[in-house]
Amino acid sequence: MRRLKRSGFFILFLPCMLAVIWTAYEIFGMWANHMATWKQTNTLQENLEKEISDIVIINVYSETGNTSGTGNHVDCLSSVLFSTEMQEDEIEDRMSKYYTFDEESCHVDKTDDGYYSININTSAPFADNIEGH
């Protein structure tokens, strides 16, 4: 009878334990994704400051989540708004040793105010995290 009670307790406790493990895994994944975005944004800012001598950073923005709105995935988005006397193609040339420029994952844009914006959007380490759903 004692063995039956232990087995019953284990069977009832197992789903709760699995739910706790799954929740802990998702929370760890969220933390890891946010840390990856933070690192990507800081690296982008450091690379800009290293390559562009007259840079004035106006705003730094980062976002972790489903940034495109399509599908169940998590992205790391980093964006830096800055001013410089350089032209867009010269900025891309200087930054091309760090990034591959395309229209989706990495690009430089000139705003209406005359500032430049560089945006990097990469897949997160835990791309199938609950944060992307």
Side-chain angles (χ1 to χ4, degrees), residues 41-57 59-60 79-82 84 86 91-92 94-95 98-99 101 108 116-120:
T41 304
N42 285 344
T43 303
L44 173 61
Q45 189 173 353
E46 289 171 5
N47 291 339
L48 283 167
E49 290 171 344
K50 187 179 349 177
E51 294 298 324
I52 303 172
S53 60
D54 67 337
I55 191 169
V56 176
I57 295 180
N59 189 20
V60 178
S79 180
V80 177
L81 182 68
F82 61 96
T84 182
M86 290 184 182
I91 295 168
E92 286 183 4
R94 293 228 179 160
M95 298 302 290
Y98 307 107
Y99 308 105
F101 287 90
V108 176
Y116 291 100
S117 172
I118 185 167
N119 303 296
I120 297 176

Side-chain angles (χ1 to χ4, degrees), residues 20-35:
V20 167
I21 291 170
W22 179 80
T23 302
Y25 175 76
E26 290 295 324
I27 290 171
F28 174 77
M30 290 171 64
W31 174 82
N33 289 344
H34 283 271
M35 292 309 299

